[in-house]
């Protein structure tokens, strides 16, 4: 069984990303970096995470190879922005009901990926 299946499939990723962007919407560091309409970023992150954790490969079909570091270069991601992102995602993780092992694995992945994206 994939992690995607174990945590409840697409609906779980939708809820996680919905909670994350609700936090981004009120974040003074992160909000200005995103476009006015948060729906497209929401869709991209949902599909990316679902794909990464073993779900359907819809992200690649729609967006091509993720190339996350390259895609994030236009955004000034310093330690402070990285920490703000991780804080919002950790808070979002708390709003969905995940087995503790899955929560820990998600959080470690997000911390590492966010550190990798620091570019300033
Ligand atoms: C470190 C702090 C981060 C900041 C400040 C940040 C910021 C952004 C911004 C501003 C966008 C553009 C939104 C849009 O116009 O669609 C974006 C896109 C995206 N981000 Fe991040 N991001 C961060 C970390 C991450 C992490 C850790 C992941 C994955 C685990 C991630 C995954 C994505 C994806 C999948 C997209 C959409 C790419 C696309 O298909 O265009 N980001 N991010």
């Amino acid at each position: 069984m994939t992690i995607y299946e174990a945590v409840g499939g697409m609906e779980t990723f939708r809820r996680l990303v919905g909670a994350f962007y609700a936090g981004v919407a009120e974040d003074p560091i992160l909000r200005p970096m995103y476009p006015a309409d948060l729906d497209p970023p929401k869709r991209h992150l949902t599909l990316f995470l679902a794909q990464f954790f073993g779900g359907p490969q819809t992200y690649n079909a729609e967006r091509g190879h993720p190339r996350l570091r390259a895609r994030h270069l236009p955004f000034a991601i310093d330690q402070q922005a990285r920490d703000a992102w991780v804080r919002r995602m950790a808070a979002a993780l708390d709003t969905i009901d995940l087995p503790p092992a899955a929560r820990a694995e998600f959080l470690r992945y997000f911390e590492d990926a966010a550190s990798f994206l620091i570019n300033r």
Side-chain angles (χ1 to χ4, degrees), residues 39-52:
D39 283 347
K42 218 182 269 187
R43 175 174 173 80
H44 300 152
L45 186 58
T46 301
L47 292 178
F48 171 79
L49 294 175
Q51 171 176 299
F52 184 86

Side-chain angles (χ1 to χ4, degrees), residues 16-26 34 38 41-43 45 85 92:
L16 174 64
V17 171
F20 170 72
Y21 275 107
V24 166
E26 29 186 66
Y34 286 86
L38 287 176
K42 218 182 269 187
R43 175 174 173 80
L45 186 58
W85 197 101

Side-chain angles (χ1 to χ4, degrees), residues 11-120:
E11 185 50 30
T12 298
F13 289 91
R14 268 199 208 99
R15 285 171 45 226
L16 174 64
V17 171
F20 170 72
Y21 275 107
V24 166
E26 29 186 66
D27 192 291
I29 297 171
L30 298 176
R31 185 63 187 93
M33 302 171 81
Y34 286 86
D37 181 3
L38 287 176
D39 283 347
K42 218 182 269 187
R43 175 174 173 80
H44 300 152
L45 186 58
T46 301
L47 292 178
F48 171 79
L49 294 175
Q51 171 176 299
F52 184 86
F53 286 103
Q57 304 294 297
T58 316
Y59 176 87
N60 269 20
E62 284 192 9
R63 306 289 292 165
H65 189 279
R67 300 181 302 111
L68 283 192
R69 217 182 127 76
R71 282 198 213 261
H72 285 79
L73 284 179
F75 315 119
I77 302 179
D78 57 11
Q79 183 73 42
Q80 197 192 22
R82 178 263 180 215
D83 291 347
W85 197 101
V86 170
R87 232 177 2 253
R88 292 297 179 182
M89 187 54 85
L93 281 169
D94 287 336
T95 69
I96 62 171
D97 213 21
L98 284 180
R103 186 193 188 281
E105 182 162 348
F106 276 35
L107 188 58
R108 196 177 50 236
Y109 166 68
F110 287 130
E111 287 171 341
D112 290 350
S115 295
F116 170 72
L117 294 178
I118 292 175
N119 55 28
R120 300 288 195 283

